Amino acid sequence: MRPPPVRAGSKRHLLMVSVWLWLCALCTVWVPMAQAAELVVRLSHVVAPDTPKGLMATRFQQLVAQASGGRIRVDVYPDSQLYGDDDEMEALQLGAVEILAPSLSKFGVAGAPEFDVFDLPFLFDTLTQVRCVTQGRIGQELLQGLARQQMVGLGFLDNGFKQMSAPRPLLQAADFKGLRLRIQASRVLAAQMRALGAYPVVLPFGETRRALAEGVVDGAENPVSNFLTQGLAPVQRTLTLTDHGYLGYAVVANPRFWASLGEGDRTLLQRALNQALAEGNARAAALNAQALATLKQTPGLQVHSLSAAQRTALRQAVQPVHADFARRVGTPLLRDVKNLCLGGISG
Ligand code: SIN
């Protein structure tokens, strides 16, 4: 803004300059006030921003800012900056954070054992089968059931299938013997590692790299997008493409926060999230494919594939886990998953 042209030093000039300065001061206060958010929503997660979950969170942030004209602001905290695996669920239940997107493996120990179905090794062969569960009636019922754990279930997001990393290739059950393998806090994942002859070690995601570097654990399981973005390649010599299990997320909100929203804001947030999740699900597989291509070019890292016979043998080795956890997961749920989404296969 320019001051109006009047003779310098005149009374009129001084008056106009002071009005002009006053207007400028008002502008600097008023403009940010007009743009300041009325509602701030904290979304905390544990992975890097350039992963399927990190990108979905940023997209949700953008969509909410656009749809609300800046009135609602989503503050995203990646990389366990705000809360990590140990405390994020409690923080949500206490209202210290409004939205989380924990991996499905973390809901079983949080009191929702039906979510353990997603950890059953070799249950799903394709993302299409997983989506039949997460995007259909079964997924809706799973989300609704989270009300018992003081969470509002808002939607599902894929990461992808997990691969094994270790100091040696893991092509058959004998290769796992005696290895200490990091897992998430999931009883099914612990049983899976034991069935393969390994020792499961529960560690928060954010501590995995250091534990591998210091030899506290020998290996881990993760989709390649997490493996790459956590910088695990320099601390692991081999990656074996086992596709033995699925990793995905449920987006959940604190129920008091969700109930406190007006109908319009709740709809705005849910619509923005639905779009961010749909876009995220559409590109998760491509992100993992890109990560794998990068890892294949990484010096010092060997990437191994399983033959069909090796995969069948590993699948056989972990079959007892299915029988052991059928009751915990819920027999009717398992039957529905198999009949509706896996073509009625037995397991
Ligand atoms: C995540 O993707 O949220 C973390 C997965 C893990 O803890 O292994």
Side-chain angles (χ1 to χ4, degrees):
M1 203 190 290
R2 271 171 192 277
V6 268
R7 194 165 49 80
S10 70
K11 273 195 185 161
R12 187 154 170 252
H13 176 249
L14 288 175
L15 179 69
M16 296 203 69
V17 167
S18 45
V19 169
W20 178 74
L21 288 173
W22 182 81
L23 277 173
C24 286
L26 193 66
C27 282
T28 53
V29 177
W30 186 75
V31 170
M33 269 175 53
Q35 289 172 348
E38 280 171 22
L39 176 65
V40 177
V41 181
R42 290 162 295 183
L43 192 168
S44 167
H45 68 82
V46 301
V47 295
D50 50 345
T51 53
K53 181 160 61 179
L55 291 167
M56 181 284 295
T58 312
R59 183 68 178 132
F60 174 55
Q61 179 182 54
Q62 283 170 354
L63 289 167
V64 170
Q66 274 165 21
S68 71
R71 192 175 51 78
I72 307 180
R73 194 178 84 217
V74 177
D75 286 350
V76 179
Y77 298 90
D79 279 321
S80 310
Q81 277 169 16
L82 194 58
Y83 295 105
D85 287 339
D86 284 343
D87 49 6
E88 65 174 5
M89 293 283 201
E90 199 187 349
L92 184 86
Q93 285 158 339
L94 291 172
V97 61
E98 284 73 37
I99 299 188
L100 296 179
S103 95
L104 301 174
S105 311
K106 289 167 187 148
F107 288 91
V109 286
E114 59 278 18
F115 276 73
D116 283 346
V117 70
F118 294 105
D119 281 347
L120 287 172
F122 293 105
L123 181 65
F124 299 106
D125 285 323
T126 64
L127 280 181
T128 308
Q129 292 173 338
V130 176
R131 287 194 190 133
C132 167
V133 176
T134 54
Q135 307 302 320
R137 172 181 64 78
I138 304 175
Q140 275 312 307
E141 287 172 6
L142 286 170
L143 291 178
Q144 281 158 15
L146 289 174
R148 289 191 293 274
Q149 270 61 53
Q150 308 304 314
M151 296 179 214
V152 181
L154 298 176
F156 288 99
L157 176 72
D158 290 328
N159 187 324
F161 284 93
K162 292 179 288 184
Q163 321 300 344
M164 297 279 190
S165 62
R168 57 183 184 242
L170 300 175
L171 304 172
Q172 52 193 345
D175 299 330
F176 287 76
K177 200 164 170 45
L179 289 178
R180 287 158 303 160
L181 299 182
R182 180 267 168 179
I183 54 163
Q184 303 178 71
S186 152
R187 292 183 196 190
V188 178
L189 297 180
Q192 163 200 280
M193 294 307 191
R194 280 195 211 99
L196 292 167
Y199 300 111
V201 181
V202 174
L203 278 178
F205 185 66
E207 291 172 25
T208 304
R209 188 185 193 283
R210 204 175 64 189
L212 286 166
E214 292 175 355
V216 175
V217 290
D218 303 304
E221 55 163 23
N222 248 300
V224 284
S225 56
N226 277 354
F227 184 88
L228 177 71
T229 53
Q230 286 300 299
L232 301 191
V235 294
Q236 292 276 258
R237 273 198 294 282
T238 72
L239 183 64
T240 307
L241 304 179
T242 45
D243 282 329
H244 62 278
Y246 168 76
L247 179 77
Y249 310 102
V251 181
V252 288
N254 171 282
R256 289 180 303 283
F257 156 70
W258 199 247
S260 75
L261 296 169
E263 187 63 33
D265 285 352
R266 212 172 18 246
T267 305
L268 184 153
L269 288 173
Q270 182 72 67
R271 281 205 185 127
L273 183 65
N274 289 349
Q275 187 175 337
L277 290 174
E279 292 176 14
N281 283 329
R283 83 173 151 205
L287 283 173
N288 276 298
Q290 280 163 17
L292 180 57
T294 305
L295 290 169
K296 283 183 171 168
Q297 303 299 319
T298 301
L301 180 74
Q302 299 164 18
V303 180
H304 297 267
S305 298
L306 295 181
S307 67
Q310 285 167 334
R311 194 158 194 278
T312 304
L314 279 187
R315 185 191 278 266
Q316 286 300 328
V318 295
Q319 274 317 293
V321 178
H322 287 240
D324 291 351
F325 282 86
R327 276 195 45 204
R328 179 174 159 84
V329 165
T331 316
L333 170 63
L334 259 180
R335 191 191 51 226
D336 279 358
V337 168
K338 288 177 183 170
N339 287 342
L340 299 176
C341 298
L342 306 182
I345 63 163
S346 61

